Amino acid sequence: MKHIVIIGNGISGVTAARHIRKNSDYKITLVSAETKYFFSRTALMYIYMGHMKFEHTQPYENCFWDKNRIDLKEGFVSKINTDAKILEFKNTSSINYDKLIIATGSKPNKFGWPGQDLEGVMGMYHKQDLENLEKYAPNNEVCKRAVIVGGGLIGIELAEMLRSRKIPVTFLVREASFWNGVLPAQESALINKHIKEHHIDLRLSTNLKEIKSDANGRVKSIIIEETGEEIPCNVVGLTAGVTPNIDFLKDSGIETKRGVLVNRFLETNILDVYAIGDCAEQHEAIGQRRNIEAVWYTGRMMGETVAQTICGKKTAYKPGHWFNSAKFLDIEYQTYGWVFSERNKQENEAYFQWQHPTKNICVTISYDKNTHQFLGINTFGIRMRHEIFDRWLNENQTIAHVLEFLRDANFDPEFYKLYEADIVAKFNQENGTNIQVKKKSWKRIFSKA
């Protein structure tokens, strides 16, 4: 019987294990040094905020793994011998494999800052990070102030977590506006304002110089590079992006760059070795996607794809149209297709933007200025249906079509105020058009593309 070993029990590794089991009787072993059982990493923040307990983040009961004949091994892989097909562990034990899937995820970026390894310095990615946060920032008596370094999605989540316990937060963002390498200026400005409204000390165009220690090796303060200002603090959150967790692959013969290099079938340069999720790097980017995508849903899709290949149905990884969602404190964000920031905007790309005069609600629609083909949409404060936009992108619909049938895409709960008429009226005014908004049609919504 073939033995499939998967290193990493995050969404990628667990999805691969589940789908291999659905399609085969192979022996499956999931290896993890983080936790024995799979949990939802994106839910870690809600444990700290008191909305959930850790066991609530585990999608499967503990008996699930035995019932489905998926073996769980706790341990840290220190070396892979690809010639002998053996994994060696730090505790000197080892296991053999017939096929190996590397799904080891990411780790927080560190840029060589003095003091970056002090007690009280942490990322917000692993369960151990949550445990450290409980240790060093249980309340605002123990933690008088926290400093967060890096302005991405994890950074704003960590800020929200700390503010839920009334811990003062200083947020260092090196860009001139929050996430302005991803978001158009209108949206980035909206998030800047929203962060400050939550009493977070947002410092834009600001870099960390060093983290200073007290006599016991714990964080005492940080120094700002531009001004030399010293900010006393007890916790420093490093959230300046992540990098693939692949240090243990040195001398394995497995080809790496920033991540583990894979082809469209998620195969490495070594026969019977695959890589999926945050640690996988495509030799050539797929469309306008990045070579490495540290995103939950792409990790799940890679797990499903590699399982098909391992079970005898060789399948290429085809992630389809880009989409993502997140929350910026109280504002829900969704994106479908491509909407680039001004600094990354394509030559043929034009924006249409609408923003509510008083509420944190706005929309940016990207389209080809020559053909008027719909390219993508960002929404803040309005929930939209993924399937509808996926269909319109597949059909190469125009922006006029999208605006005309925009109510079909609205997924806000009943009795929420609708803004489609206001959005289309602004487009008509700016472009001299006469687009009329159609009534929502459930028949259209649920029809197949």
Side-chain angles (χ1 to χ4, degrees):
M1 183 184 292
K2 285 184 181 177
H3 185 195
I4 315 301
V5 176
I6 304 167
I7 310 175
N9 72 341
I11 185 61
S12 303
V14 165
T15 301
R18 287 178 50 245
H19 283 263
I20 291 169
R21 175 53 68 236
K22 282 181 182 179
N23 293 286
S24 79
D25 287 322
Y26 297 153
K27 177 177 171 61
I28 302 170
T29 301
L30 264 175
V31 177
S32 174
E34 182 180 14
T35 59
K36 183 175 182 180
Y37 299 112
F38 169 59
F39 67 94
S40 175
R41 197 174 303 281
T42 53
L44 281 178
M45 66 182 293
Y46 300 112
I47 301 170
Y48 184 84
M49 294 170 71
H51 301 169
M52 306 175 80
K53 294 181 179 179
F54 181 71
E55 54 265 33
H56 300 154
T57 70
Q58 296 175 271
Y60 309 107
E61 295 181 358
N62 294 349
C63 63
F64 172 88
W65 309 100
D66 283 338
K67 183 178 177 181
N68 288 276
R69 294 175 289 118
I70 297 172
D71 297 332
L72 305 178
K73 179 173 175 58
E74 294 180 89
F76 188 91
V77 177
S78 59
K79 186 179 178 182
I80 300 176
N81 183 335
T82 55
D83 293 328
K85 293 190 171 182
I86 294 174
L87 298 187
E88 298 177 12
F89 291 84
K90 264 192 173 177
N91 64 2
T92 72
S93 66
S94 64
I95 58 172
N96 292 74
Y97 67 85
D98 292 299
K99 291 183 183 288
L100 176 66
I101 302 172
I102 301 167
T104 47
S106 298
K107 60 183 180 179
N109 282 331
K110 291 184 176 181
F111 295 102
W113 295 295
Q116 67 182 18
D117 296 316
L118 291 170
E119 290 186 41
V121 181
M122 65 198 71
M124 194 57 238
Y125 188 81
H126 300 100
K127 182 174 183 284
Q128 287 77 7
D129 295 325
L130 179 66
E131 291 164 355
N132 280 332
L133 199 61
E134 284 287 3
K135 178 180 178 181
Y136 295 108
N139 53 53
N140 57 16
E141 292 297 319
V142 173
C143 182
K144 304 293 185 184
R145 176 170 292 276
V147 172
I148 298 171
V149 183
L153 296 177
I154 296 175
I156 201 164
E157 286 180 356
L158 182 54
E160 182 177 3
M161 292 164 68
L162 292 158
R163 289 301 299 146
S164 75
R165 298 197 185 184
K166 297 182 169 54
I167 295 171
V169 174
T170 295
F171 200 174
L172 308 186
V173 176
R174 68 178 181 178
E175 290 84 10
S177 187
F178 185 87
W179 223 30
N180 65 357
V182 177
L183 300 176
Q186 168 183 279
E187 300 168 0
S188 179
L190 175 73
I191 301 303
N192 291 340
K193 176 173 169 287
H194 192 58
I195 290 170
K196 292 174 182 177
E197 288 170 348
H198 279 72
H199 309 290
I200 294 167
D201 176 26
L202 178 62
R203 307 285 189 97
L204 299 171
S205 301
T206 303
N207 287 277
L208 173 68
K209 181 180 181 182
E210 68 174 298
I211 305 167
K212 298 185 76 70
S213 172
D214 67 10
N216 300 311
R218 293 177 64 159
V219 170
K220 179 184 76 172
S221 63
I222 63 100
I223 304 295
I224 289 176
E225 185 175 297
E226 287 76 11
T227 63
E229 178 187 355
E230 183 172 6
I231 301 177
C233 59
N234 308 102
V235 162
V236 175
L238 300 182
T239 62
V242 293
T243 193
N245 184 22
I246 60 168
D247 293 345
F248 70 102
L249 295 178
K250 188 184 292 186
D251 303 323
S252 68
I254 298 169
E255 191 178 358
T256 63
K257 201 171 177 183
R258 284 188 59 229
V260 182
L261 287 166
V262 295
N263 61 18
R264 289 291 190 267
F265 298 97
L266 305 169
E267 299 166 321
T268 71
N269 63 308
I270 303 292
L271 183 67
D272 294 328
V273 179
Y274 307 81
I276 58 176
D278 295 15
C279 68
E281 179 177 0
Q282 290 283 331
H283 278 282
E284 296 178 6
I286 299 173
Q288 297 186 80
R289 290 171 174 267
R290 295 179 178 178
N291 298 66
I292 299 173
E293 291 187 317
V295 181
W296 183 91
Y297 85 86
T298 56
R300 185 198 69 213
M301 292 170 70
M302 287 186 205
E304 294 171 354
T305 301
V306 80
Q308 296 297 314
T309 295
I310 283 176
C311 293
K313 185 182 177 182
K314 193 165 184 178
T315 304
Y317 172 58
K318 296 178 181 177
H321 298 294
W322 170 254
F323 70 93
N324 204 3
S325 63
K327 274 192 77 176
F328 295 94
L329 300 164
D330 304 323
I331 305 175
E332 293 190 25
Y333 157 72
Q334 292 173 285
T335 184
Y336 304 103
W338 294 111
V339 182
F340 294 100
S341 67
E342 280 82 357
R343 74 186 193 195
N344 296 316
K345 204 173 179 182
Q346 306 295 297
E347 193 173 314
N348 66 318
E349 186 180 357
Y351 289 157
F352 163 68
Q353 295 186 301
W354 173 86
Q355 184 169 2
H356 192 279
T358 59
K359 298 178 181 178
N360 291 322
I361 300 172
C362 68
V363 171
T364 298
I365 302 176
S366 169
Y367 63 99
D368 188 299
K369 62 186 178 185
N370 301 314
T371 66
H372 288 191
Q373 180 182 329
F374 170 61
L375 301 176
I377 185 169
N378 286 354
T379 67
F380 288 77
I382 301 176
R383 294 180 189 173
M384 295 291 188
R385 295 177 190 276
H386 174 200
E387 296 82 0
I388 296 287
F389 286 112
D390 204 52
R391 184 192 307 166
W392 289 341
L393 288 163
N394 283 332
E395 294 170 348
N396 297 321
Q397 292 289 0
T398 63
I399 185 173
H401 180 92
V402 169
L403 291 168
E404 186 177 0
F405 296 99
L406 196 57
R407 281 188 179 145
D408 286 358
N410 191 301
F411 196 51
D412 275 335
E414 194 176 5
F415 304 124
Y416 266 51
K417 182 171 173 51
L418 302 177
Y419 297 102
E420 287 79 16
D422 296 339
I423 294 167
V424 173
K426 184 172 188 281
F427 184 88
N428 285 335
Q429 183 182 20
E430 290 178 355
N431 294 276
T433 52
N434 188 32
I435 297 168
Q436 301 296 311
V437 185
K438 300 285 190 188
K439 288 184 178 180
K440 178 180 283 191
S441 163
W442 295 108
K443 184 177 180 180
R444 281 196 304 268
I445 289 169
F446 293 112
S447 67
K448 294 191 181 291

